[in-house]
Amino acid sequence: MSFAASPQDLLTAYEAKSAKAVPARGEKFFNAKHGKEWSCASCHDSLPNHETKHIVTGKVIQALSPSRNSARFSDPAKVEKWFKRNCNDVLGRECEAQEKADVLSWLMTVK
């Protein structure tokens, strides 16, 4: 069962499992390739504050920045589903809580 959350609620939960998030580290992580072909920015753009298209499928991806898309990071189950799927594509593994915290903290600053 999912419940409504805010990006800050999720960030707090990730930080409880790691250390304090660092937005600059999240931005670097988001834009870097990690030994795989794609980065997060491959599909979401380096400044994810607008609609983009998936690099392979061409499917529309709504803005990732919570300030531009209030539905983002409001359903913890969906957040975990997409982190799991996308981290596997980018890293070849699931993201750690620290990585999620850093990326989310940066996304919360993107206007």
Side-chain angles (χ1 to χ4, degrees):
M1 181 172 145
S2 295
F3 62 90
S6 71
Q8 185 59 55
D9 294 336
L10 294 169
L11 178 58
T12 299
Y14 293 137
E15 287 180 326
K17 298 175 186 174
S18 61
K20 182 149 178 64
V22 178
R25 195 169 52 209
E27 180 179 17
K28 183 177 178 183
F29 180 92
F30 189 88
N31 288 296
K33 291 184 179 177
H34 302 270
K36 301 278 279 178
E37 188 175 332
W38 297 348
S39 68
C40 303
S42 295
C43 294
H44 294 285
D45 207 6
S46 61
L47 192 59
N49 61 359
H50 58 278
E51 187 176 276
T52 59
K53 289 188 179 182
H54 189 276
I55 193 169
V56 173
T57 66
K59 242 177 117 171
V60 171
I61 301 171
Q62 298 300 317
L64 193 55
S65 167
S67 72
R68 296 295 180 124
N69 182 352
S70 62
R72 287 287 188 190
F73 305 102
S74 62
D75 181 336
K78 283 185 181 180
V79 171
E80 284 305 306
K81 170 189 168 184
W82 286 106
F83 262 131
K84 182 176 182 178
R85 182 178 293 175
N86 292 337
C87 290
N88 190 54
D89 287 343
V90 171
L91 301 170
R93 63 171 172 78
E94 288 190 41
C95 283
E96 297 170 1
Q98 186 69 62
E99 293 163 332
K100 293 175 188 178
D102 290 341
V103 168
L104 180 54
S105 70
W106 173 64
L107 288 171
M108 290 167 61
T109 71
V110 175
K111 303 295 179 208

